[in-house]
Amino acid sequence: MNRQIVRTQNFVADATNFIVDLARKALAERNEFRIALSGGNTPRPVYARLAESGLPWEKCFFTFGDERCVPPDDEQSNYRMVRETLFGLAGVPEKSVLRMRGEIDPQTAAQEYEKHLDLIATERGESIYRHDLILLGMGDDGHTASLFPGTAALEESTRRVVANFVPKFNSWRLTFTFPLINQARNVCFLVNAKKNIELIEKVLGGDKQYPAARVDPVAGEVTWLLGQ
């Protein structure tokens, strides 16, 4: 695995510049930028700054690494957060966004999302949909996307998007699985390093009891942007 660890006092600016630089590279090489977004509070100011970047949004395609099983205007919705901080402010075209439908049956929503990604890949002559960049966060239990410790989705080896029941919340989540995440050209963890320094070191050390430590792109790079 090619891995870069960046510890920064200018987290929002550095994270935004990282995304924009990769976007410009992908646009130059393939005339398209495929990015998967994460939820939570950490990326919120990054998305707001990204909205001011002036990227050609019609050539960008946004997906979501996970979603809560709620309607799109629910305050818990990852889509709603990104719509308010990025899509709406930047005027991102609707066709550039593929939303996970958290308001319908979880199994159906996961299959629908996977099929949509598979269709795009097939149309481009690809064996699997490859993201130029997947943004991920990390929870206090080492989870990433909605891949929580002890949940079934961790062992998924073929499906690329699944509905994952999370006992600690007694609820379903929609999530990318490792077979899809590990096909990305780039993965970037956006993490507030003040939260749990010991956990971060364990994950960076490769302790596989933490799902975030199992992110290992087969032909891509992982960057950890750690806000100090």
Side-chain angles (χ1 to χ4, degrees), residues 136-210:
L136 294 173
M138 184 177 70
D140 292 338
D141 55 1
H143 85 266
T144 192
S146 280
L147 298 167
F148 287 82
T151 57
L154 294 180
E155 307 312 319
E156 183 58 56
S157 60
T158 55
R159 288 286 306 278
R160 293 167 286 287
V161 183
V162 298
N164 193 30
F165 185 73
V166 184
K168 70 185 288 185
F169 300 127
N170 191 33
S171 65
W172 289 89
R173 296 280 186 93
L174 305 173
T175 186
F176 283 2
T177 62
F178 292 120
L180 180 59
I181 293 171
N182 287 331
Q183 287 293 325
R185 293 182 175 93
N186 293 273
V187 174
C188 181
F189 282 90
L190 300 176
V191 177
N192 179 354
K194 299 173 187 172
K195 284 174 65 177
N196 198 326
I197 297 170
E198 188 179 335
L199 172 64
I200 291 169
E201 293 308 317
K202 286 180 180 177
V203 171
L204 292 176
D207 190 337
K208 296 293 196 295
Q209 71 172 303
Y210 302 107

Side-chain angles (χ1 to χ4, degrees), residues 1-223:
M1 169 174 53
N2 294 320
R3 185 174 71 183
Q4 180 183 21
I5 300 169
V6 179
R7 302 177 191 274
T8 174
Q9 302 280 347
N10 302 303
F11 180 79
V12 174
D14 286 348
T16 306
N17 290 338
F18 178 85
I19 295 167
V20 171
D21 287 348
L22 272 181
R24 288 178 176 151
K25 180 183 175 188
L27 289 164
E29 292 176 357
R30 291 176 293 279
N31 201 35
E32 179 185 44
F33 177 51
R34 301 174 177 179
I35 176 173
L37 303 175
S38 62
N41 288 319
T42 302
R44 184 185 291 265
V46 177
Y47 296 155
R49 181 78 66 93
L50 186 61
E52 302 169 356
S53 66
L55 285 172
W57 304 117
E58 73 281 357
K59 294 183 178 180
C60 300
F61 192 64
F62 296 91
T63 56
F64 286 81
D66 73 319
E67 183 57 279
R68 296 173 174 89
C69 291
V70 295
D73 3 343
D74 191 282
E75 60 181 15
Q76 294 297 311
S77 166
N78 289 340
Y79 169 78
R80 173 179 167 173
M81 184 271 283
V82 181
R83 185 188 66 205
E84 292 175 348
T85 56
L86 172 58
F87 299 154
L89 294 176
V92 175
E94 221 173 281
K95 66 180 179 60
S96 292
V97 179
L98 182 61
R99 179 177 74 82
M100 286 181 164
R101 296 209 293 158
E103 70 274 25
I104 67 173
D105 171 69
Q107 306 293 341
T108 303
Q111 289 172 357
E112 174 184 276
Y113 209 77
E114 180 175 275
K115 283 179 181 175
H116 200 126
L117 294 181
D118 286 350
L119 179 61
I120 297 171
T122 301
E123 288 174 347
R124 307 292 171 84
E126 303 163 352
S127 58
I128 189 171
Y129 187 93
R130 289 194 75 194
H131 286 86
D132 295 301
L133 174 61
I134 295 180
L135 296 176
L136 294 173
M138 184 177 70
D140 292 338
D141 55 1
H143 85 266
T144 192
S146 280
L147 298 167
F148 287 82
T151 57
L154 294 180
E155 307 312 319
E156 183 58 56
S157 60
T158 55
R159 288 286 306 278
R160 293 167 286 287
V161 183
V162 298
N164 193 30
F165 185 73
V166 184
K168 70 185 288 185
F169 300 127
N170 191 33
S171 65
W172 289 89
R173 296 280 186 93
L174 305 173
T175 186
F176 283 2
T177 62
F178 292 120
L180 180 59
I181 293 171
N182 287 331
Q183 287 293 325
R185 293 182 175 93
N186 293 273
V187 174
C188 181
F189 282 90
L190 300 176
V191 177
N192 179 354
K194 299 173 187 172
K195 284 174 65 177
N196 198 326
I197 297 170
E198 188 179 335
L199 172 64
I200 291 169
E201 293 308 317
K202 286 180 180 177
V203 171
L204 292 176
D207 190 337
K208 296 293 196 295
Q209 71 172 303
Y210 302 107
R214 295 173 59 177
V215 173
D216 185 11
V218 293
E221 300 185 2
V222 176
T223 301

